[in-house]
Amino acid sequence: MAFIGQGLDRVDGRLKVTGGAQYAAEFRVPDLVHAVLVQSTIGAGAITGFSLAAAQSMPGVLTIITPENALKLHAESNLPQAIRAPLLQDMDVHYNGQHVAVVVAEALEQADAAAARVRVQYRRDEPITSMDAVLDQAYLPKSFRNGERPADSRRGDPDGAFTAAQVKLDAVYVTPIEHHNPMEPHATIARWDGNQLTVWTATQGISGTQQSLAALFGIDPKDVRVICPYVGGGFGCKGNTWPPATLAAMAAKLVGRPVKLAVTRAQMFTSNGYRPRTVQSLRFAADQQGHLVSMRHDGISQMSQPVLGEFAEPVGLATEMLYACPNVAVTHRLVATNAPLPTYMRAPGEASGNFALESAIDELAVALKQNPLDFRMRNYAEQDPHENKPFASKALRECYRQGAEAFGWSRRPSEPRAMRDGNVLIGWGMATSTYPTHRMAANAYVRVNADGTALVQVGTQDLGTGTYTVMSQIAADELGLPVQRIHLELGDSRFPHAPVSGGSMTVASVGPAIKTACQAVRAKLSNDGDTNVALPELLARRNMPSVEASSEAKSGEEQKRYSMHAFGAQFAEVRVDADLGEIRVSRYVGAFDGGRIINTKTARSQLIGGIVFGIGMALLEETHVDGETGRVVNANVSEYLMPVNADIPDIQAILVPNDELVSNSLGAKGIGELPMVGVAAAVANAVYHATGVRVRKLPIRIEDLLV
Ligand code: MOS
């Protein structure tokens, strides 16, 4: 009875569609009051005073928290996920939309009305609203990737090889500020019982939230309980513990009652990070036969003021490992602006860096007069050229082959503007996708009952991606029980510790922990060699009501010996109106090596969803900032453009079989972020093929084609 590999419906599907799944803002907590954020209306400077009398006298108002009466938080911890500013600890204003006060009232409407009456006096400085004006002040990140590795790398002599090369490309690619915009905006309910804090909060990491709040309030992590059974999408903006969660806990402490703080859609644009704008300079070169001889990828990404923390979009990391090239240099720099702190968003670095990398590869193929797929195959990396290690597995060749065949790539004319349908230009483009296979230690608890049911508890979270379902499948197979008999609980920090659901690592981290705990349960019962007898039967024979076990799965030795990545091949067809420049994606095929697939249905949905993200990145998504005030001008989901059904063609997502068991005990590589990597380049390359116009910035818009 193998449940792994089946396309099972979601075990929480019925709860989701009937409204039975409870999200953070929906929990009923007695005596609850409401907090509303007040945000700055200037882009830089300092608060010089507040006029609060009018707001304070409004009905139902309990308190107004400003830097003058806020709780002093503990600043010494350096947990990267504990965002320490702005938390009303000083009067400085670093960006427009910064939280400057919190109004707490009996009812949400009362808090809202009072928040609108809060008046703030400022000393105004001139904000830096665009990174482009200060590119010459780029600086080295203090702690790139939280100190895991240096920001720069080099192998061979890329500059010398570039100078000597025959075919060269020297180009700058730009990606915009983007916001995550999950369906569920961030929300927290916080309650103190003495010195113990309980939060119901929308988070990608209950363990990180527990650690962060404990550090900020100076209490033991054991005294913080974080509850989050369902998340309405994260995409990176719920990975850290952002100020609204901390401010909700602060407000609850100050008023002595449970407080709900739900961030509005508009406030989401300055409350929990964003994908920073990047400016990427690429210098690539090849010999006449089409072998890459030099790759240089210099990335600059936008930052906030450094006092708020640090985040560098790691745009160059895939450039180090994706192609066999002897001479490679990668650098990452930051420029400080008056913007909020950026963060991880939907394949941070991989997606934005890949647009530059895979556009440049396409440009070189054009310069060489080679088919872009043949050019990529010619430079295929059989092992990781950066780490000098074998890949745990790499079915990219098969992704290219299956994707190309499904798409009909072999019929592609080599010249641009060669396919037409009346007044519509048609173009075909492709790109390679890759995303690292991350894994962190996780624990799990399993109990099998004599009635044939099992309970699995693990402190992970389900972002909407299917964690409940795939973990139940893993437990069912390992215990030899029907999946319907597995009761899986997650989203509570009282359960065994699991890492953040970020970096596409939940299945690879938590799955092996559950598998190991199930094996431990089995070992406890099977010591007399009854390996073919069902566990409930073994329990009955021994007259035992249940058996339980816990496990810890460490991130294994495999990470030292192998380079671990998922791969994919993206193929896009676009139709461009020859007069108006309107671009439509009309056909799409993606073929992916995500290792062993636990659930083909949820996997295919995730792959299609990632491609939709990518089409949005290619053609629609962009946050606009007013150059004068530093204010986000499209802080809503009608003017922050995202794809709707009419923007999306039929998408074919191919799961390329890969039965490896090297990356981890499940062979799962993670597919959360992989499918959006490469989409923007595939679309841009298709736009070039349709029109002959090379667009080196995102999103690609009508006006970019009017040249
Ligand atoms: Mo993801 S951007 O690591 O949540």
Side-chain angles (χ1 to χ4, degrees):
M1 154 173 55
F3 290 101
I4 290 180
Q6 283 191 28
L8 292 188
D9 289 348
R10 284 161 194 266
V11 298
D12 53 340
R14 179 174 291 272
L15 280 179
K16 286 276 178 79
V17 298
T18 56
Q22 266 188 305
Y23 294 82
E26 298 177 327
F27 282 86
R28 290 178 188 275
V29 176
D31 208 26
L32 187 71
V33 296
H34 298 265
V36 166
L37 297 166
V38 178
Q39 300 187 319
S40 71
T41 54
I42 66 164
I47 300 163
T48 54
F50 289 91
S51 303
L52 302 177
Q56 244 147 7
S57 64
M58 301 272 289
V61 172
L62 296 167
T63 191
I64 300 174
I65 311 168
T66 71
E68 292 169 336
N69 62 351
L71 275 183
K72 287 296 159 228
L73 297 169
H74 293 243
E76 61 269 25
S77 156
N78 52 4
L79 273 181
Q81 64 268 39
I83 303 296
R84 354 203 108 257
L87 288 168
L88 310 183
Q89 301 295 293
D90 57 51
M91 301 286 258
D92 296 336
V93 175
H94 300 290
Y95 57 89
N96 205 317
Q98 174 183 321
H99 315 315
V100 293
V102 177
V103 179
V104 188
E106 293 282 348
L108 175 62
E109 292 77 5
Q110 292 170 328
D112 253 336
R117 303 286 285 270
V118 170
R119 291 291 172 270
V120 187
Q121 288 88 46
Y122 297 104
R123 186 202 76 228
R124 283 162 197 265
D125 294 340
E126 195 64 42
I128 301 164
T129 58
S130 154
M131 73 182 278
D132 298 8
V134 285
L135 279 180
D136 58 336
Q137 292 164 39
Y139 61 93
L140 190 67
K142 274 208 290 277
S143 179
F144 186 68
R145 306 282 279 186
N146 299 325
E148 274 166 33
R149 52 156 288 159
D152 297 358
S153 78
R154 171 184 293 265
R155 67 174 183 264
D157 174 16
D159 297 329
F162 184 85
T163 307
Q166 294 148 310
V167 183
K168 305 184 198 194
L169 172 82
D170 188 345
V172 176
Y173 301 85
V174 177
T175 61
I177 297 174
E178 296 173 351
H179 276 80
H180 312 74
N181 279 305
M183 269 209 282
E184 179 202 23
H186 184 81
T188 298
I189 295 172
R191 185 182 72 200
W192 290 87
D193 302 287
N195 209 29
Q196 297 192 322
L197 172 64
T198 303
V199 293
W200 293 260
T201 188
T203 178
Q204 291 173 235
I206 54 175
S207 52
T209 301
Q210 180 188 36
Q211 297 285 337
S212 299
L213 291 175
L216 288 162
F217 288 94
I219 57 179
D220 191 318
K222 287 193 191 65
D223 289 330
V224 181
R225 182 176 179 194
V226 181
I227 299 169
C228 180
Y230 295 97
V231 184
F235 316 144
C237 77
K238 293 168 183 163
N240 289 327
T241 305
W242 292 94
T246 308
L247 292 172
M250 182 193 288
K253 184 121 201 161
L254 288 174
V255 300
R257 289 173 67 180
V259 167
K260 183 197 290 191
L261 196 164
V263 178
T264 66
R265 181 61 65 181
Q267 290 170 343
M268 286 289 285
F269 283 77
T270 57
S271 291
N272 27 233
Y274 56 94
R275 192 198 295 282
R277 180 178 172 84
T278 71
V279 177
Q280 305 174 50
S281 304
L282 274 66
R283 291 205 304 170
F284 283 13
D287 65 19
Q288 294 286 9
Q289 291 73 45
H291 299 105
L292 285 164
V293 294
S294 176
M295 300 168 85
R296 203 188 156 99
H297 192 158
D298 297 303
I300 308 178
S301 67
Q302 176 177 2
M303 247 291 286
S304 62
Q305 290 298 298
V307 66
L308 300 179
E310 187 174 272
F311 178 79
E313 183 89 352
V315 291
L317 302 187
T319 304
E320 293 173 342
M321 52 63 67
L322 195 51
Y323 295 105
C325 176
N327 306 296
V328 176
V330 162
T331 66
H332 295 92
R333 295 291 179 275
L334 297 169
V335 288
T337 65
N338 289 105
L341 181 65
T343 194
Y344 325 98
M345 173 170 157
R346 308 184 201 145
E350 286 81 14
S352 43
N354 180 291
F355 166 64
L357 167 61
E358 289 293 299
S359 294
I361 292 289
D362 196 75
E363 293 202 53
L364 264 188
V366 169
L368 285 156
K369 297 194 188 311
Q370 293 188 357
N371 183 292
L373 179 52
D374 298 342
F375 179 51
R376 286 174 172 87
M377 289 293 289
R378 189 160 291 118
N379 292 284
Y380 196 87
E382 301 292 348
Q383 67 159 17
D384 183 330
H386 180 67
E387 296 192 7
N388 254 320
K389 287 194 263 194
F391 291 110
S393 72
K394 179 177 180 180
L396 177 57
R397 215 178 245 114
E398 197 54 20
C399 296
Y400 286 145
R401 196 188 66 72
Q402 292 194 23
E405 184 169 322
F407 187 82
W409 183 257
S410 63
R411 297 191 298 279
R412 176 183 181 271
S414 55
E415 290 303 308
R417 300 182 73 92
M419 292 190 291
R420 254 190 121 100
D421 175 8
N423 203 38
V424 173
L425 300 165
I426 299 171
W428 292 358
M430 68 153 302
T432 310
S433 172
T434 188
Y435 191 82
T437 302
H438 296 300
R439 184 178 171 200
M440 287 171 74
N443 301 354
Y445 167 85
V446 173
R447 185 177 76 216
V448 177
N449 303 311
D451 68 1
T453 61
L455 172 69
V456 180
Q457 289 179 326
V458 57
T460 185
Q461 40 284 314
D462 187 333
L463 309 189
T465 45
T467 304
Y468 278 106
T469 310
V470 299
M471 296 305 161
S472 299
Q473 289 173 264
I474 292 165
D477 273 10
E478 210 56 52
L479 296 172
L481 294 175
V483 73
Q484 297 78 9
R485 293 293 182 90
I486 307 293
H487 181 70
L488 190 120
E489 295 182 345
L490 53 74
D492 188 329
S493 59
R494 290 190 172 169
F495 298 151
H497 172 275
V500 63
S501 287
S504 303
M505 68 175 151
T506 299
V507 174
S509 303
V510 177
I514 291 177
K515 190 175 161 118
T516 310
C518 293
Q519 286 166 345
V521 161
R522 182 171 280 287
K524 280 187 178 178
L525 289 179
S526 306
N527 48 8
D528 46 4
D530 288 331
T531 48
N532 289 323
V533 183
L535 294 180
E537 169 67 20
L538 288 175
L539 283 168
R541 281 185 200 173
R542 292 174 200 198
N543 217 2
M544 287 167 68
S546 66
V547 60
E548 60 180 13
S550 295
S551 77
E552 184 178 352
K554 292 212 165 56
S555 172
E557 281 295 296
E558 61 270 11
Q559 275 169 328
K560 294 193 191 116
R561 285 188 287 136
Y562 295 101
S563 170
M564 304 202 293
H565 300 263
F567 296 94
Q570 310 271 16
F571 296 86
E573 176 186 276
V574 298
R575 296 171 66 92
V576 183
D577 186 295
D579 296 322
L580 303 178
E582 188 194 35
I583 308 163
R584 311 292 299 179
V585 177
S586 47
R587 217 154 56 77
Y588 203 97
V589 176
F592 302 96
D593 163 20
R596 295 216 310 171
I597 299 299
I598 310 296
N599 183 317
T600 51
K601 185 175 190 173
T602 55
R604 193 165 277 117
S605 296
Q606 216 169 357
L607 296 174
I608 290 170
I611 291 167
V612 174
F613 280 162
I615 293 174
M617 183 181 196
L619 300 177
L620 297 166
E621 289 195 57
E622 178 172 17
T623 301
H624 296 277
V625 175
D626 178 52
E628 199 71 34
T629 61
R631 196 164 184 81
V632 175
V633 296
N634 57 340
N636 55 69
V637 288
S638 60
E639 292 160 298
Y640 182 92
L641 301 182
M642 287 180 279
V644 296
N645 278 349
D647 297 307
I648 299 300
D650 185 41
I651 293 173
Q652 188 180 353
I654 300 170
L655 298 161
V656 172
N658 181 355
D659 274 336
E660 70 129 305
L661 284 171
V662 181
S663 294
N664 48 66
S665 65
L666 289 165
K669 294 186 177 186
I671 48 169
E673 290 162 277
L674 174 73
M676 84 165 294
V677 179
V679 182
V683 171
N685 296 339
V687 167
Y688 169 78
H689 188 239
T691 63
V693 180
R694 177 65 63 177
V695 182
R696 297 191 179 115
K697 46 81 69 166
L698 297 176
I700 301 170
R701 298 173 58 92
I702 289 171
E703 55 268 34
D704 298 317
L705 300 182
L706 301 178
V707 290

